[in-house]
Amino acid sequence: MTTYYTEDHEWIAVENNIATIGITDYAQEQLGDLVFVELPEVGTKLGIGDTAVVVESVKAASDVFSPCDGAVTSVNDALTSDPELVNKSAAKNGWLWKMELSDASQLEGLMDEAAYKNHIS
Amino acid sequence: MDDTLKILPLQKLHIAAGAKFGPFAGWSMPLSYAAGVMAEHLHTRQKAGLFDITHMQLIEVAGPQSSVFLNRCCPIDVTDLEIGASKYTLLLNDTAGIIDDLIITRRGDNQYLVVVNAGRANVDIAHMKAIAADHDCTFRPIERVFLALQGPMAAAVLSDIGIDTGSMVFTDSITTENGVIINRSGYTGEDGFELALPLDQAKKFAETLVADERVMWIGLAARDSLRLEAGLCLYGQDLTEEITPVSARLMWAIPKAVRDGNFVGAKALRTAINEGAATLRVGIKPEGKQPVRAGTPLLTRDGDAAGTVTSGGFGPSAGHPVAMGYVTKQYAAAGTELVAEVRGKHLPVTITTLPFVPHNYHRGN
């Protein structure tokens, strides 16, 4: 499994051409307590840069963009009743959606963990 | 950081408390602290929250014609105020649009303190100075550190540091022997106090307050969710120069006796009262868990335009999303079912009375 990071503070863990996508711990800390997560429907075709998910804190709504082209294969339904799971476990249990990649090469050039840590420091 | 932003005198205390800063009305303001907006909000409703509201502008008005001047500026009769009393009022333009909402405190026979919103201070000062020029009074913006201590334990916290507020009810004002002006007021819906401190006393005073375990620093984000739950307006969102007090349903702030008066906007206000407002400010309760934000269109369930959300978010004490906005009069009755159009989806909402959380002001026994 390879994990990539975007400048928009998303993480993308890829295994067998399926990407699991979430926001980073840094991002959840910036957003504050989440009260609602709007998830896409399974099967939705996303283009790179499309809004895939909207995370809503007490104060504001923020878009989470699709980092690549592909189709949504599953979403983290646990967030419907417990959006704060993203705050508690952004990098793991608070994942947002999974998608099948149309073109994995679109992820080339994204940051690895070390580069991302450097990016936010 | 934008170096044109004004820095709070107590900024170092906020940094030490883990504040995240953001720009607001020209100031670099603490948006939230280490505890986070949810905990800060709930803490204020349960114990006592300390807010740095120094961005708000304090103005001293004094002189023989200060009452005449203020009665010309605002739909109020300030001579009705006892010394040590304060009142929420409005600045209106010639068309009775709201220039700002403000608090006037009577501090002496011919001495008043006016508190206006940070984002409107420049506009207000220009508008009021022009009127002041025709009156024998001084009009002087002053610098203070302005703190709000809000919540059911606020009075006990002050009592424990030797400030007795026992005789004060909501909107009363006192001045301590150290020159601290204390009003029993605030903008959270809770009992509490606003304290205008001389700059040289402020740091120690704030440190003393936060050393009390019942007190926590609270940022602007929770200030916003607290005031929204309390049904209180935020200027620039819920009030603008295009909105009259009739439409904003703020006529309770304008005593009947002054409505025939000669304040700026009086004629237009009388017309607005006689004609009624086409749109009215309402509370909006989204039925699901998804917040609806400012700017969201409101439609009837048949899809006709009904209004717009002007403030919206999540209410931590209410436990559900909360919003307010303006709807066409025919849809303003509590219980009216509408939809909010959020990113192409139609979310069911219900028009509701305000506030979402009952006010807990100390009005005496």
Side-chain angles (χ1 to χ4, degrees):
Chain A
M1 188 171 74
T2 314
T3 304
Y4 302 91
Y5 295 84
T6 73
E7 291 192 351
D8 295 327
H9 309 289
E10 292 167 37
W11 55 264
I12 304 128
V14 182
E15 195 166 21
N16 300 328
N17 208 45
I18 300 288
T20 305
I21 295 148
I23 62 170
T24 65
D25 194 53
Y26 175 86
Q28 72 76 20
E29 201 172 286
Q30 295 300 310
L31 291 167
D33 303 314
L34 296 189
V35 296
F36 187 80
V37 180
E38 186 179 317
L39 296 163
E41 283 177 27
V42 170
T44 304
K45 288 199 164 55
L46 294 170
I48 187 168
D50 288 352
T51 296
V53 165
V54 180
V55 289
E56 303 225 19
S57 67
V58 175
K59 195 161 172 56
S62 307
D63 292 339
V64 182
F65 303 109
S66 180
C68 43
D69 299 337
V72 176
T73 57
S74 65
V75 297
N76 189 354
D77 286 322
L79 302 179
T80 307
S81 58
D82 188 10
E84 283 194 61
L85 204 49
V86 177
N87 297 110
K88 292 175 210 150
S89 178
K92 199 177 167 201
N93 296 338
W95 63 277
L96 300 174
W97 81 98
K98 293 178 195 277
M99 64 194 294
E100 183 162 16
L101 300 176
S102 301
D103 178 5
S105 73
Q106 288 175 328
L107 300 176
E108 286 170 16
L110 292 178
M111 290 175 273
D112 62 12
E113 191 177 357
Y116 178 71
K117 278 188 174 159
N118 192 39
H119 175 69
I120 57 174
S121 64
Chain B
M1 184 178 292
D2 185 342
D3 60 9
T4 63
L5 291 175
K6 285 184 264 188
I7 301 296
L8 294 169
L10 300 185
Q11 192 193 35
K12 281 183 184 163
L13 292 190
H14 300 306
I15 292 170
K20 278 182 227 160
F21 291 85
F24 181 80
W27 290 79
S28 175
M29 293 295 293
L31 301 182
S32 64
Y33 296 84
V37 53
M38 197 81 84
E40 292 168 32
H41 178 116
L42 295 171
H43 182 94
T44 305
R45 293 244 186 271
Q46 288 155 7
K47 295 181 178 177
L50 183 62
F51 303 72
D52 192 334
I53 53 171
T54 302
H55 60 308
M56 301 192 77
Q57 180 69 56
L58 280 65
I59 301 163
E60 269 182 357
V61 177
Q65 283 196 302
S66 48
S67 303
V68 183
F69 160 67
L70 289 170
N71 288 353
R72 171 71 181 146
C73 288
C74 300
I76 188 173
D77 185 352
V78 292
T79 62
D80 280 346
L81 296 174
E82 306 272 346
I83 293 171
S86 63
K87 190 168 172 18
Y88 175 85
T89 185
L90 304 162
L91 267 186
L92 303 178
N93 61 24
D94 287 333
T95 55
I98 300 169
I99 297 173
D100 202 0
D101 60 341
L102 58 151
I103 303 277
I104 296 178
T105 302
R106 189 169 197 184
R107 304 197 59 228
D109 280 333
N110 286 306
Q111 191 193 357
Y112 297 89
L113 180 71
V114 180
V115 181
V116 304
N117 283 306
R120 300 298 288 171
N122 290 341
V123 173
D124 296 346
I125 289 169
H127 175 82
M128 294 178 86
K129 262 192 174 165
I131 300 170
D134 297 331
H135 294 86
D136 183 8
C137 66
T138 58
F139 177 85
R140 196 165 62 90
I142 58 169
E143 279 188 43
R144 290 285 187 280
V145 166
F146 200 28
L147 301 177
L149 185 67
Q150 299 281 297
M153 296 184 181
V157 168
L158 290 183
S159 174
D160 287 356
I161 59 168
I163 297 173
D164 178 21
T165 60
S167 63
M168 298 173 75
V169 296
F170 184 60
T171 73
D172 280 355
S173 177
I174 59 167
T175 306
T176 70
E177 57 191 25
N178 295 329
V180 180
I181 303 166
I182 303 178
N183 278 26
R184 195 157 196 162
S185 57
Y187 220 59
T188 58
E190 295 301 316
D191 183 25
F193 302 86
E194 292 173 311
L195 307 103
L197 299 141
L199 299 182
D200 58 356
Q201 296 177 35
K203 179 167 177 279
K204 190 160 174 247
F205 193 93
E207 283 172 339
T208 305
L209 286 180
V210 290
D212 188 314
E213 62 183 19
R214 293 166 291 186
V215 177
M216 183 193 271
W217 279 115
I218 312 294
L220 273 189
R223 183 171 168 82
D224 192 47
S225 54
L226 287 158
R227 70 88 197 166
L228 179 52
E229 277 185 345
L232 302 171
C233 295
L234 177 62
Y235 195 92
Q237 289 185 197
D238 310 307
L239 304 178
T240 71
E241 292 208 35
E242 282 69 50
I243 294 171
T244 69
V246 182
S247 183
R249 286 177 158 168
L250 292 176
M251 291 306 294
W252 57 265
I254 304 177
K256 285 209 169 67
V258 309
R259 292 179 193 177
D260 292 328
N262 185 39
F263 53 88
V264 176
K267 199 174 160 211
L269 182 66
R270 286 192 281 272
T271 304
I273 292 169
N274 290 335
E275 292 180 354
T279 63
L280 291 171
R281 184 170 64 92
V282 292
I284 301 154
K285 182 182 179 298
E287 282 173 25
K289 299 183 82 175
Q290 183 165 1
V292 300
R293 308 289 180 177
T296 301
L298 296 168
L299 311 173
T300 67
R301 300 231 164 154
D302 296 329
D304 296 329
T308 309
V309 175
T310 51
S311 282
F314 186 79
S317 303
H320 55 73
V322 292
M324 70 166 96
Y326 285 81
V327 295
T328 311
K329 200 174 179 178
Q330 72 204 84
Y331 306 121
T336 304
E337 296 181 335
L338 300 172
V339 295
E341 191 175 63
V342 180
R343 298 183 287 274
K345 288 182 194 159
H346 285 181
L347 307 178
V349 303
T350 305
I351 300 305
T352 181
T353 53
L354 294 169
F356 291 99
V357 173
H359 291 163
N360 192 26
Y361 301 137
H362 182 70
R363 296 187 190 274
N365 298 316

